[in-house]
């Protein structure tokens, strides 16, 4: 156990295997070089990653509850199946990211760019089968994003662009879409008993 809130800001962990470690709550990894680091099965709850280099970083089965990735370019990253409840992706670039089956309960995607990035050749983010209950997508760009089979109850998409987004078979009960651009949005077979628009 590295201890609570240990400061690794700016550290160079390049190419290290840090799997199975317990960094304690609130490790500061801001501006750290985490290139090719293996964080598989690592405990990183409340860790701060803003400004870190995450090139080829593996978070396979890592515990990232309340982790802060705010204002980072995470385009094309694979967050499949990760525990990211209450994580912060505020202002992030997330084109091409995979969040399949991820636990994102209460996660914050305020002002995130989740749609396709044509210049980089990346499609939209994919949240298929993720748990997004109470997640926040305030002023986010969700154009063409895939929310297929997602648990989206009580989530907020206030003033988002969800143009051509896919909510097929999603559970939308209690979700708030006030001011969102819902043009051409697909809600085929979605459960939407009490959506607020």
């Amino acid at each position: 156990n590295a201890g609570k809130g240990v400061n690794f800001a700016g550290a160079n962990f390049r190419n290290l295997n840090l799997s199975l470690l317990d960094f304690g709550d609130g490790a500061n990894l801001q501006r750290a070089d985490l290139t090719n680091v293996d964080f598989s099965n690592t405990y990183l709850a409340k860790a701060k990653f803003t400004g870190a280099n995450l090139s080829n970083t593996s978070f396979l089965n890592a515990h990232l509850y309340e982790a802060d990735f705010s204002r980072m370019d995470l385009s094309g990253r694979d967050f499949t199946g990760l525990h990211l409840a209450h994580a912060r992706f505020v202002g992030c670039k997330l084109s091409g990211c995979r969040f399949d089956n991820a636990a994102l309960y209460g996660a914050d995607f305020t002002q995130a760019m989740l749609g396709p990035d044509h210049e980089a050749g990346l499609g939209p983010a994919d949240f298929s089968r993720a748990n997004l209950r109470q997640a926040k997508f305030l002023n986010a760009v969700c154009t063409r994003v895939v929310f297929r089979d997602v648990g989206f109850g009580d989530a907020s998409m206030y003033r988002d662009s969800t143009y051509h987004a896919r909510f097929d078979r999603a559970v939308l009960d209690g979700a708030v879409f006030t001011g969102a651009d819902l043009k051409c949005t697909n809600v085929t077979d979605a459960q939407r008993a009490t959506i607020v628009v």
Side-chain angles (χ1 to χ4, degrees):
N1 186 322
K4 185 173 182 177
V6 176
N7 188 359
F8 295 110
N12 183 351
F13 290 125
R14 182 182 284 259
N15 300 318
L16 292 181
N17 182 345
L18 301 176
S19 61
L20 301 170
L21 292 180
D22 182 350
F23 277 78
D25 286 350
N28 184 356
L29 293 159
Q30 295 178 91
R31 301 175 314 283
D33 186 353
L34 305 174
T35 304
N36 296 317
V37 170
D38 184 359
F39 282 120
S40 298
N41 300 292
T42 298
Y43 184 87
L44 290 159
K46 302 181 182 179
K48 297 167 187 68
F49 290 98
T50 301
N53 183 344
L54 298 176
S55 299
N56 298 315
T57 302
S58 173
F59 288 108
L60 181 67
N61 297 318
H63 184 91
L64 292 156
Y65 176 82
E66 288 187 23
D68 190 353
F69 296 96
S70 294
R71 296 173 301 284
M72 295 185 69
D73 185 348
L74 299 171
S75 300
R77 300 279 188 256
D78 190 351
F79 294 100
T80 298
L82 293 184
H83 183 77
L84 290 155
H86 298 283
R88 291 176 48 82
F89 293 94
V90 175
C92 283
K93 292 181 181 178
L94 299 167
S95 299
C97 283
R98 303 286 311 243
F99 290 97
D100 312 46
N101 296 301
L104 289 155
Y105 181 95
D108 190 348
F109 293 92
T110 298
Q111 297 181 340
M113 168 54 188
L114 296 143
D117 181 342
H118 299 295
E119 283 185 23
L122 294 169
D126 188 340
F127 290 91
S128 295
R129 296 169 303 284
N131 179 352
L132 285 164
R133 291 189 67 79
Q134 297 186 358
K136 298 174 210 66
F137 290 85
L138 311 177
N139 295 305
V141 177
C142 298
T143 305
R144 299 190 182 279
V145 172
V146 178
F147 294 107
R148 189 175 290 121
D149 296 303
V150 163
F152 216 89
D154 300 317
S156 299
M157 297 198 85
Y158 181 71
R159 293 175 49 185
D160 285 354
S161 171
T162 55
Y163 184 72
H164 275 287
R166 301 195 56 104
F167 291 93
D168 322 43
R169 298 179 306 276
V171 178
L172 302 174
D173 195 33
V176 178
F177 288 88
T178 304
D181 177 1
L182 298 170
K183 290 185 194 93
C184 302
T185 298
N186 185 336
V187 290
T188 304
D189 296 323
Q191 297 175 32
R192 49 189 189 271
T194 57
I195 294 177
V196 179
V197 180

